[in-house]
Every structure is written in structure tokens, then in C-alpha cells.
Amino acid sequence: MKLTFLGAAREVTGSSYLLEADGVRFLVDCGMFQGGRETREKNRRAFNFDPATIDFVILTHAHIDHSGLLPRLVALGFRGAIHTTRATCDLLAVMLPDSAHIQEKEAEYENLGRFRQGMTRRGGDTRRTTRDTAPLYTVAQAQASLKRLNAVDYDLEIAPHPQVRCTFRDAGHILGSAIVEVWVGEGSRRRKIVFSGDLGQPARPLLRDPTPIFEADYLLVESTYGNREHKSMAATQDELVEAVNDTIERKGGNVIIPAFAVGRTQDMLYLLADLTRQARIPRLSVFVDSPMATAATEITFKHMALLDAETHELMGRHGGAAHFRKLDFVEDVEESKALNRITGGAVIISASGMCEAGRIKFHLRANLPRRESTILITGFQAAGTFGRRLVDGAKRVRLLGEDIPVRADLYTLGGLSAHADRSALLAWLGHFRGKPRQVFVVHGEDSVATGFAADLQKQFGWDAQAPLPGHSVILD
Ligand SMILES: [Zn+2]
């Protein structure tokens, strides 16, 4: 049988692996490449096979860098089932149409730009000579791809094909995330391949710890933080206590939290509820102002059984509302605008996490010039994003067409990554009893993936390598 690394090879996005054996071909993940202009072409060129020839797809979790090309796969002829956990199905129903909406907007914007260029070049002749860019996929295509989903429970073995069996194990990374154990038969041979998916950091809010796996013939393991350790949860809580108390009690301002809709928003609700219960911060008025974050929070609490025991106790059925003076999920745009008039005492959680889009921009416009307010950064800010400019200490910023002075304080919370750090990755790998025949280190930047593969050779004596993009290996 043959395994091909279509994406997330010496990089962190575009997760997708093609497994081919006599009589069956399937994908594990079908993710979008993200970040930077060159990824647009990579996404368009992503399938060097006919999607109609793929029997089925196994999906580890809902993040767009793992799921984002599914609508395109279906639009280009894939007719099989997409097997994934029940909670992932619910998240995809929100996330794939949202991703499609972004693709449509981007294509529109690009076409408008080209149209304007043409006008200038031809002195006002408005005929279009070049063809319009089509979106990578449309909202209708995203909706169509959802029809191919097959919801699977954790820990139950399924047989997506007569030659293939698989089991989803909780990966503790985001709601619904899975490590997948796959058994593939070819003639008299049967091999077990384990796909780690993205692994969560143990002992973090809400989610359970990644499930230990004990054996594999072949193993693919992520390495996002293969060279780094996260700050401890205790240190992260201390930072949050200081930011909230300093802002709400001493300065009398607002705390503005740009947060990813899935995962980080729910983490923040959990942490704020927990710290209030411990009486380390005052009872707060909290506003979740992002329709996507509200939907993701509803889906999270719908799947209460998947959350860890502490979360059951703390969050109950209402997102921990009992611990807050007020917990408001803002739907209406007018209501969202009204939040800009609050000068103090509010905690506003809004998307996007890197301040690039969404309602967060309006809250930043209102609060960045206020000395008494605080911007609380809770996640990684990629180079070139608005959030990164703030983290880098910009004194003035351009936002929504206005020149805005930055007078608010800026705090950064260190320890809330959804990915296992180096120690946690090694601890998870330490559960393997036998030596896998081969280990493939994926989903890490070039130097991180190769370095981590070298570490695995040294530490465990494993045959580990970081495959190159497009590379195929024969699994015998
Ligand atoms: Zn992920």
C-alpha cells in the first residue's frame, strides 16, 4: 500500500494524506492551505487525482486547515462518505459555509480590483477583457458537501469499506477532534496506521486529555509545537486575574478579548467563570459578540458529554452564566454597536482572533483610544495581521478607514494553545509499547518537523522522518 503526503508536510496547513491499497483509495483530512498569497494557487492545484476515484474520506477535526477543501472535493466529483465525529459534523455545518462565504467575498473583491484596473488602463472603457476569478467554492457547494457527512461516535469501530476499519479516539484538541486508528487490508496483509490529527494539551479547560494509543505499524504525528513548551495554566490564570482586576477595578475600563470563535471563546468563558468562583476576580458583565462564537458555544454545550468533569460542574447548561453578573450572547448588529458606548466594566469577547475581520474591529476602534481599557490577546498573532501590529507595540493604527491612537493597555495570555507542547507530544508518544515500523512527523514548520523527527530517533530509537510535500512512501 502507498501513502502520499498531500499537505501539512514541513508546514502546518493543508493537512491531507492519500492512502492507496489494492482495491481502495481514501483520504485522511482534506484541509485548506492558509496564510500568504501563494496558498491560493496551492488550494486550486491541491488535487492531483480525480476526486471521483476516492472511495471515502476520514476527517480528524473541523479546523479549516484539515476540512476546508471538502466542498471543493465534492464539487469536483467526489461521491463517497466523509466519516467524522458527531460534534465535528455540527461544527462543519457552521464553519464550511462560513469559509465559503469568505471565498466568495475574496473572489468578488479581486474581480472588482481587476475591473477597476481595466477601467484605468483603457481610459474609462468598462468592458472586461479578462475572465472573472471564480471562488474556490461557493456557499451552495459547502452546503452540498455537508450532505456527504457520516457522524461517528468515539471509540466505536466502523468499516467505511470492506478492506478498511477505523476507530476515532478523543484528541482533546478542539470539540470533536480525533486521533484515528485505521486498519487496512491488502491481500493477506493487514496494517495498522495511526493518524494523530492535532493533539491537545493535557489538563486544559473544557476538553479531555488526548487518548493514549499503544501500538501502530505506521504512525503520523503532528509537531506544531515540537520545539516549544507552553506556559503553565497557573501562570496563565495569574495573568488573566491581573488583566481583569487592573482594568475593571483600578482603571474602570473594558476588557476587549479578540478570540477564535471555536475553542478560545469557550476557554475564556470557562476561565472567567472559574476565577469568579474562586473570588479572584469580581462578578463580570460578559458579552460574546460574534454569531460564529455563539453558534460554536451552543454546539459545545450541546455535546456536554464530551467535555471533562470539571467543566460539567462549572459550566452546567448555561455556559457558566450563574457565575457572571451578566452573560449576553449578542446577535443583533445594533446591539453590537451599542456595546461601543459602554465606557467601563464590560468584558467583550469577539472574533476574529487576529483582529483581521468581524465585529472585533468596532470594539477595537472604540476602546483602543481609551487609556482605561485593555486589549487581551489570547492566541498566536501571525505576521502581517492587525493583532500582530498591536502586539509589536504600534502607537497608532489604521482601522476601518480611521487613524486611531493606541492608548489602551495590552496584555498577552501565554498558555492557551489548542496544541500539545513538546513535553506533551513526547508523553503521548511514550505510550507506544512497540516500535512502529515507520513514523512520519507532519504538521510542523520545516525545521520543527525535521528537528522533532531527529529527536524521536534519538529518544525512542524510532525510524522517524519529516516527509516532503507530495512525497509517497510504500507501506509494506
Ligand atoms: Zn486543529
Side-chain angles (χ1 to χ4, degrees):
M1 49 192 89
K2 187 167 104 175
L3 175 66
T4 305
F5 302 90
L6 301 174
R10 306 218 182 173
E11 63 179 320
V12 291
T13 68
S15 277
S16 192
Y17 314 105
L18 171 65
L19 207 132
E20 299 166 280
D22 263 348
V24 64
R25 313 178 82 199
F26 63 94
L27 294 180
V28 176
D29 289 346
C30 187
M32 190 183 279
F33 294 96
Q34 293 175 309
R37 285 188 69 81
E38 71 281 10
T39 59
R40 295 169 45 160
E41 270 318 298
K42 276 165 88 169
N43 284 322
R44 290 188 191 273
R45 284 188 277 106
F47 306 135
N48 57 357
F49 51 82
D50 177 3
T53 64
I54 301 295
D55 294 299
F56 62 92
V57 177
I58 292 171
L59 178 64
T60 61
H61 66 287
H63 273 153
I64 292 299
D65 66 311
H66 292 254
S67 70
L69 289 187
L70 286 170
R72 192 163 167 83
L73 189 77
V74 174
L76 293 178
F78 171 70
R79 287 292 168 268
I82 301 161
H83 305 278
T84 194
T85 65
R86 217 165 278 284
T88 300
C89 292
D90 286 349
L91 287 174
L92 290 175
V94 183
M95 293 170 73
L96 289 181
D98 182 71
S99 168
H101 182 72
I102 294 168
Q103 301 304 324
E104 287 184 353
K105 284 275 163 234
E106 271 179 10
E108 214 172 273
Y109 187 73
E110 198 175 306
N111 292 332
L112 187 69
R114 192 177 302 153
F115 180 59
R116 288 208 181 115
Q117 251 178 15
M119 273 177 71
T120 345
R121 209 170 34 238
R122 287 185 298 277
D125 178 358
T126 55
R127 275 173 306 168
R128 297 185 184 199
T129 49
T130 41
R131 252 197 304 152
D132 277 358
T133 308
L136 189 59
Y137 49 84
T138 64
V139 172
Q141 287 169 332
Q143 297 289 1
S145 71
L146 297 173
K147 296 203 171 68
R148 313 228 64 86
L149 292 173
N150 174 46
V152 177
D153 286 315
Y154 282 120
D155 304 324
L156 287 182
E157 191 177 286
I158 62 160
H161 183 274
Q163 286 168 253
V164 183
R165 293 185 296 117
C166 65
T167 305
F168 291 75
R169 309 285 185 190
D170 197 337
H173 163 65
I174 59 165
L175 186 77
S177 64
I179 301 156
V180 190
E181 297 179 279
V182 185
W183 293 266
V184 183
E186 188 181 48
S188 58
R189 199 185 318 159
R190 209 173 73 126
R191 293 286 176 257
K192 179 181 177 185
I193 306 141
V194 170
F195 296 85
S196 77
D198 288 359
L199 294 167
Q201 177 78 351
R204 290 291 140 121
L206 287 122
L207 300 173
R208 296 187 294 215
D209 295 351
T211 311
I213 305 293
F214 302 105
E215 53 195 5
D217 293 317
Y218 297 95
L219 168 64
L220 284 82
V221 63
E222 72 122 317
S223 59
T224 319
Y225 288 100
N227 63 343
R228 296 232 310 259
E229 304 292 346
H230 296 323
K231 261 192 194 168
S232 75
M233 206 58 215
T236 303
Q237 285 179 329
D238 291 346
E239 286 167 345
L240 182 55
V241 167
E242 196 201 319
V244 169
N245 288 342
D246 188 51
T247 311
I248 305 281
E249 301 219 298
R250 189 182 68 80
K251 296 193 298 179
N254 298 321
V255 180
I256 308 300
I257 308 179
F260 300 105
V262 178
R264 195 55 39 87
T265 295
Q266 296 79 35
D267 290 347
M268 290 312 301
L269 289 175
Y270 176 98
L271 287 172
L272 292 171
D274 189 29
L275 293 169
T276 310
R277 183 175 59 168
Q278 295 174 37
R280 296 183 66 192
I281 55 175
R283 281 164 67 88
L284 302 166
S285 297
V286 178
F287 301 89
V288 176
D289 187 23
S290 146
M292 177 88 150
T294 299
T297 305
E298 272 168 21
I299 293 168
T300 303
F301 292 109
K302 177 185 157 192
H303 292 277
M304 203 70 195
L306 302 182
L307 307 181
D308 63 15
E310 294 92 319
T311 308
H312 283 241
E313 192 195 313
L314 182 69
M315 308 296 271
R317 294 184 50 212
H318 303 289
H323 302 283
F324 301 119
R325 184 187 305 278
K326 176 179 186 168
L327 174 60
D328 194 355
F329 291 90
V330 180
E331 288 292 333
D332 196 48
V333 176
E334 290 310 310
E335 207 190 324
S336 172
K337 285 183 188 159
L339 294 181
N340 294 162
R341 293 194 291 272
I342 303 177
T343 54
V347 174
I348 301 171
I349 305 173
S350 186
S352 71
M354 298 193 202
C355 315
E356 284 289 277
R359 293 181 183 175
I360 188 67
K361 289 183 159 188
F362 295 91
H363 301 306
L364 289 172
R365 182 174 64 181
N367 285 278
L368 278 173
R370 293 177 181 156
R371 263 176 231 292
E372 62 277 19
S373 286
T374 287
I375 315 301
L376 185 65
I377 301 290
T378 61
F380 178 72
Q381 304 295 312
T385 61
F386 188 85
R388 180 62 166 265
R389 280 202 285 288
L390 291 180
V391 172
D392 287 346
K395 290 279 165 270
R396 300 193 77 82
V397 285
R398 191 100 193 135
L399 183 62
L400 297 164
E402 289 175 38
D403 191 34
I404 311 262
V406 179
R407 299 194 192 100
D409 284 321
L410 196 85
Y411 282 83
T412 306
L413 285 195
L416 285 179
S417 174
H419 286 272
D421 63 13
R422 179 185 155 79
S423 303
L425 285 173
L426 290 172
W428 184 79
L429 291 165
H431 292 292
F432 282 82
R433 286 175 190 144
K435 212 192 254 191
R437 287 162 179 254
Q438 264 181 298
V439 177
F440 305 103
V441 176
V442 294
H443 203 288
E445 297 293 353
D446 200 337
S447 64
V448 180
T450 49
F452 196 62
D455 291 347
L456 296 185
Q457 287 170 14
K458 241 182 282 157
Q459 188 149 345
F460 299 115
W462 287 354
D463 175 1
Q465 55 168 294
L468 286 163
H471 184 66
S472 295
V473 287
I474 301 297
L475 311 181
D476 50 25

